[in-house]
Amino acid sequence: MHGELVALPTETVYGLAADASNEAAVGKIFEAKGRPSYNPLICHVSSLEMAEQFVDLSSTAKRLIAAFWPGPLTLVCTVRESCTVARSVMAGLSTLAVRCPDNKITREIITRLDRPVAAPSANISGKLSPTTAMAVWHSIGDRVPLIIDDGPTDCGIESTIVAVDHDRLTLLRPGTITVDELSDATGLDVLDRDDKTISAPGQLASHYAPEANVILNQETSSGHVFIGFGALKGDFNLSPNGDLREAAHNLFETLRKADKTGRKTIAIAPIPSKGIGIAINDRLKRAAAPRNSDRETENTND
């Protein structure tokens, strides 16, 4: 990568990638996104074997990898002393978030590079995540030398993030891999995050935000642009059939279309808070959060 940035496709959202071992290149990610330095990045690998060079993988972590990699699951594990990943990727923490993306193009790039890539979503920090190459272009096209277009992403929202401490699992960010699926794969209960400190990406209270204000759990438009779900039709609809996986796939692109109408407020229909709906509601809650400074918002409103 010669120290430059590349927007890469994954099955979740498009990522803004740099050689994770190159401190200067990683610094360009934070600069291009306007991302705060205390917000860690996900390190994308091509295999379990590559991940194991940088983090300690417990038997529980390996069971999760066997069940869900390549795929939309990020594991936060203790860093090995020999880890060569740039310290800024970890934002000063003693843990590293690792994931193997389910996209052949990106895995091939990582394999040929023979090093992991750091890759948060390819957009301005705190704004809507891009699920198409065109969305990347409109957000940060003037800040990245190359955008690889592999069509719309499959999942539509970011990966599930779980911290693995031996046989202890803590959910740090919900995604399309659900808590029940994590429990089924390991035989373990998954704990909720019990503090407000930022230990993984996607934990800022104000995040994933369009330009318009967002109000949740609405059943009528009340003069706002209205995003429906199921029987609540609206100007747009995340899933006319009430399919949560389809709603997740459509979420960011639908918010982007609603934002382009130019109306000041986007009203969104209730989304069932079960299964993947938990992850959808997590993104919507952050999109609707007060837009103060990131650290202040995280500490007071989440």
Side-chain angles (χ1 to χ4, degrees), residues 22-286:
N22 185 327
E23 193 73 63
V26 171
K28 292 179 182 180
I29 293 177
F30 288 94
E31 181 180 0
K33 285 177 61 69
R35 185 184 180 95
S37 60
Y38 55 80
N39 196 2
L41 306 176
I42 293 176
C43 195
H44 291 68
V45 298
S46 58
S47 64
L48 177 154
E49 290 75 19
M50 181 178 284
E52 209 162 20
Q53 296 175 37
F54 306 101
V55 294
D56 291 322
L57 296 177
S58 66
S59 59
T60 297
K62 289 179 179 178
R63 285 201 297 275
L64 289 171
I65 287 171
F68 299 113
W69 278 16
L73 177 65
T74 296
L75 303 180
V76 175
C77 303
T78 302
V79 174
R80 288 184 178 274
E81 288 187 9
S82 58
C83 178
T84 56
V85 168
R87 297 301 301 176
S88 57
V89 173
M90 294 167 271
L93 302 173
S94 60
T95 55
L96 176 67
V98 292
R99 154 169 132 79
C100 180
D102 190 10
N103 181 281
K104 291 181 179 179
I105 292 172
T106 294
R107 285 205 313 279
E108 178 67 17
I109 288 171
I110 297 169
T111 298
R112 292 193 180 197
L113 183 65
D114 197 28
R115 293 189 297 279
V117 298
S121 56
N123 61 303
I124 297 298
S125 184
K127 297 300 181 181
L128 292 172
S129 297
T131 56
T132 65
M134 187 58 68
V136 177
W137 173 256
H138 285 305
S139 181
I140 57 169
D142 59 341
R143 306 181 188 190
V144 56
L146 177 65
I147 300 171
I148 297 177
D149 187 351
D150 191 36
T153 63
D154 293 330
C155 296
I157 60 174
E158 301 82 359
S159 61
T160 302
I161 302 181
V162 60
V164 185
D165 183 5
H166 300 289
D167 60 353
R168 178 186 173 94
L169 300 179
T170 303
L171 183 68
L172 301 181
R173 181 178 72 187
T176 55
I177 294 174
T178 66
V179 166
D180 287 343
E181 290 174 315
L182 296 171
S183 292
D184 289 345
T186 60
L188 299 171
D189 292 333
V190 181
L191 306 175
D192 289 328
R193 176 185 172 210
D194 59 2
D195 62 44
K196 305 296 184 182
T197 59
I198 297 173
S199 54
Q203 293 182 331
L204 297 178
S206 178
H207 208 45
Y208 315 115
E211 294 301 319
N213 293 320
V214 175
I215 55 175
L216 308 179
N217 300 315
Q218 305 297 301
E219 297 192 355
T220 62
S221 68
S222 300
H224 309 306
V225 60
F226 185 53
I227 298 177
F229 175 77
L232 293 175
K233 300 301 182 183
D235 302 289
F236 305 93
N237 196 299
L238 293 174
S239 173
N241 297 321
D243 184 313
L244 290 171
R245 191 169 294 276
E246 180 182 24
H249 173 80
N250 292 333
L251 179 62
F252 288 132
E253 189 60 25
T254 302
L255 282 168
R256 190 169 281 107
K257 289 177 180 177
D259 211 22
K260 287 181 179 178
T261 66
R263 297 193 208 176
K264 294 183 178 180
T265 303
I266 300 171
I268 302 178
I271 306 296
S273 194
K274 62 180 182 179
I276 296 172
I278 294 171
I280 296 171
N281 281 305
D282 171 79
R283 304 313 191 272
L284 290 174
K285 172 188 172 185
R286 297 176 193 278

